[in-house]
Amino acid sequence: MGSIAIPAPHSLIMASLKYGADMSERVYPPVIKTALGVFKVLNTKFRLEGTDRIPSTGGAVLVSNHVSYLDFIFAGVAAHPAGRLVRFMAKKEIFDNRIAGPLMRGMKHIPVDREAGASSYAAALKALRGGEIVGVFAEATISRSFTVKDIKSGAVRMAVASKTPLIPVAIWGPQRMWTKGRKRRLLQRNVPVTILIGEPMHPKRGDDYDEVTKDLRARISELLEKAQREYPEAPKPGEKWWQPAYLGGTAPTPEEAEKLDFQEAEARKAARLEREAREGGGA
């Protein structure tokens, strides 16, 4: 089953040595070792299941749920026991950041420009066909409800076009450290983090991509619910915000979260139009 209970990430650090010797990877291995060193100091309590489902060679599309701003790190941890690096697709704005940008490029992640999606898709296909694992957060944004939002068929289409498997992943726990609408609590100690890897899917040409996408979402949702129900800690008084509503938490329901996302998108659109009008007026 590939189940691993890790009180401290020593075995992950050892696994990172498998690819640390690759001199073409000058940025990614040191970043990983630094992150795992921090987790050790903070006594982050990892639970990984299904690690044997990550292929040791060849391309794959790793599709994870999205509950925190730290999910890139933890979804990547899923592939560490196999000695694999994950190239995540991430919004272009992160690459424009003066600090994060050089790191993202050094780790060979893939920028996503929503106004030029074809180039991002092409870059992901090139990586997959070159034997890389490409990481996708198919919900596009963090789920405020801590359930799996509707997802698009892009991950399925990439897997079919590159003839690589889809690997569903669920993450639970990092939302306690840093999520949308909450202050960062990056130095919390003893936080359990659950990472569950599902059975690979093998979609092919001729399949109904929308149906495969529904199946993918259902599998991620099942893994996430398992992670949530089996999580070793319950929220303390005043901490129920990180628990989904269906388990008695105070996180927004999926319907409430959808409304909040819409309001945020509208506010962002209005701000962009105002900025463009201001810049245009000053030209």
Side-chain angles (χ1 to χ4, degrees), residues 84-127:
R84 302 298 304 275
L85 298 171
V86 181
R87 314 301 179 181
F88 285 100
M89 300 186 74
K91 60 184 180 180
K92 176 180 174 292
E93 288 78 3
I94 299 176
F95 291 79
D96 293 337
N97 183 279
R98 65 185 182 86
I99 297 175
L103 289 174
M104 295 293 282
R105 287 187 288 273
M107 290 185 280
K108 303 177 186 176
H109 294 314
I110 301 167
V112 176
D113 185 344
R114 292 177 181 176
E115 296 181 1
S119 62
S120 305
Y121 183 83
L125 283 185
K126 181 179 179 181

Side-chain angles (χ1 to χ4, degrees), residues 19 33 44 56 59 87 98 105 126-127 136 143 166 170 174 207 262 281:
Y19 44 72
K33 290 178 184 178
T44 304
S56 58
R87 314 301 179 181
R98 65 185 182 86
R105 287 187 288 273
K126 181 179 179 181
V136 177
S143 171
L166 277 170
D207 288 348
F262 177 77

